[in-house]
């Protein structure tokens, strides 16, 4: 099945499939391909049983969401968007589709008509009032249910249950020296940003949290973050 790419940027970058990138690519100059993985086998040993158990337990909910998407909007149930993973390798980050089919055109028109929204997008890469998101999509995003398909990314070894927030290449270029920390870990289904304010945090705060997480990783901290995630995502006033 070919998954569509839900728009994160009005002008998406070209994506490499290997660490080596062209000189003009957003990842150029970043320390790609380093043989380092935060947590190593211990972290992976936690990821596999947690992700598999969650998939089994949440299967009825995920099937219900898939049916609702099919009944209420045109287009596929899932989409996959290229994100930067461990050591700079890109992967398809899976989500339930929450946007309308003409998402790119809607975003461009909205940003052109609203200087305030354009500035908000420039600073945070998110919009509080996003014209692309469907009514059902708002509920899925508010509860983080849209991210449940990423459990498959965890099983495939592309993501971890806990880790830095998965980003696109253009965003990673804004991390500066802290990009090294991001590239040393698998992106997470949840992470310190999820239990520390979510969208209430500034972009710089999210980057700092991710960097500190990687530098001070421990298995105990991963377990604590997992336990805190459920009440955190129920805070609909702090949607991600």
């Amino acid at each position: 099945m070919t998954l569509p790419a839900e728009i994160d940027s009005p002008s998406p970058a070209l994506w490499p499939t290997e660490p080596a990138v062209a000189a003009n690519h957003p990842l150029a100059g970043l320390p790609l391909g380093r043989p380092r993985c935060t947590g190593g086998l211990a972290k992976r040993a936690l990821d596999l049983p947690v992700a598999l158990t969650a998939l089994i337990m949440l299967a009825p909910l995920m099937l219900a969401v898939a049916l609702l998407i099919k009944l209420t909007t045109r287009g596929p149930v899932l989409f996959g968007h290229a994100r930067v993973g461990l050591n700079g390798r890109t992967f398809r980050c899976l989500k339930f589709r929450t946007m309308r089919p003409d998402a790119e055109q809607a975003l461009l028109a909205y940003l052109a008509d609203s200087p305030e929204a354009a500035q908000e997008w420039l600073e945070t890469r998110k919009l509080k009032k996003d014209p692309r998101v469907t009514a059902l999509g708002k509920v899925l995003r508010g509860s983080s249910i849209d991210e449940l398909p990423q459990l498959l990314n965890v099983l495939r070894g592309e993501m971890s249950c806990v880790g830095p927030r998965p980003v696109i290449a253009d965003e990673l270029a804004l991390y500066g020296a802290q990009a090294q920390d991001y590239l040393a870990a698998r992106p997470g289904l949840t992470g310190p940003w999820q239990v520390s304010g979510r969208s209430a945090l500034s972009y710089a705060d999210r980057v700092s949290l991710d960097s500190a997480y990687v530098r001070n990783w421990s298995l105990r901290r991963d377990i604590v973050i997992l336990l805190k995630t459920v009440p955190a995502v129920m805070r609909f006033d702090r949607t991600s």
Side-chain angles (χ1 to χ4, degrees):
M1 177 176 63
T2 300
L3 299 174
E6 187 152 304
I7 306 301
D8 278 293
S9 167
S11 55
L14 295 176
W15 293 93
T17 56
E18 298 294 335
V21 297
N24 62 346
H25 191 274
L27 292 181
L30 294 179
L32 306 181
R34 299 184 307 156
R36 178 187 172 193
C37 180
T38 298
L41 292 177
K43 188 170 178 60
R44 189 69 181 143
L46 176 66
D47 283 342
L48 289 175
V50 169
L52 184 58
T53 300
L55 269 175
I56 294 172
M57 294 180 63
L58 295 170
L61 172 61
M62 295 175 70
L63 288 173
V65 170
L67 180 60
L68 282 172
I69 293 173
K70 271 297 183 185
L71 291 175
T72 57
T73 63
R74 293 183 294 109
V77 168
L78 297 178
F79 77 91
H81 196 279
R83 302 291 167 124
V84 182
L86 177 66
N87 293 324
R89 294 184 180 276
T90 57
F91 67 97
R92 281 296 197 184
C93 184
L94 302 177
K95 288 188 179 184
F96 283 120
R97 184 174 59 82
T98 59
M99 292 187 182
R100 44 196 273 192
D102 61 341
E104 182 175 12
Q105 293 83 357
L107 176 62
L108 289 172
Y110 185 63
L111 296 182
D113 291 341
S114 174
E116 294 81 6
Q119 184 63 30
E120 179 186 359
W121 177 266
L122 181 64
E123 293 177 355
T124 67
R125 307 292 292 189
K126 292 180 181 292
L127 296 170
K128 292 181 179 178
K129 296 182 179 180
D130 196 324
R132 303 169 296 172
V133 182
T134 65
L136 176 60
K138 291 179 181 179
V139 176
L140 298 180
R141 287 187 172 203
S143 59
S144 291
I145 290 175
D146 66 314
E147 298 177 355
L148 291 181
Q150 290 170 26
L151 290 166
L152 297 173
N153 290 120
V154 175
L155 291 179
R156 295 195 309 217
E158 298 160 336
M159 294 181 64
S160 176
C161 288
V162 183
R165 186 178 64 91
V167 300
I168 63 175
D170 288 336
E171 284 186 85
L172 190 57
L174 304 175
Y175 275 50
Q178 291 174 307
Q180 298 184 34
D181 296 325
Y182 176 92
L183 295 170
R186 292 185 178 92
L189 175 60
T190 186
W193 85 94
Q194 188 77 285
V195 298
S196 303
R198 303 174 77 188
S199 286
L201 297 171
S202 69
Y203 194 91
D205 286 338
R206 295 204 305 263
V207 172
S208 295
L209 279 173
D210 283 345
S211 180
Y213 165 81
V214 173
R215 291 175 180 267
N216 302 290
W217 178 85
S218 71
L219 193 61
R220 178 182 178 277
R221 190 179 183 199
D222 271 11
I223 294 172
V224 169
I225 290 175
L226 285 171
L227 293 175
K228 288 182 176 181
T229 293
V230 173
V233 298
M234 297 309 294
R235 292 286 303 276
F236 279 78
D237 59 319
R238 294 183 174 185
T239 55
S240 57

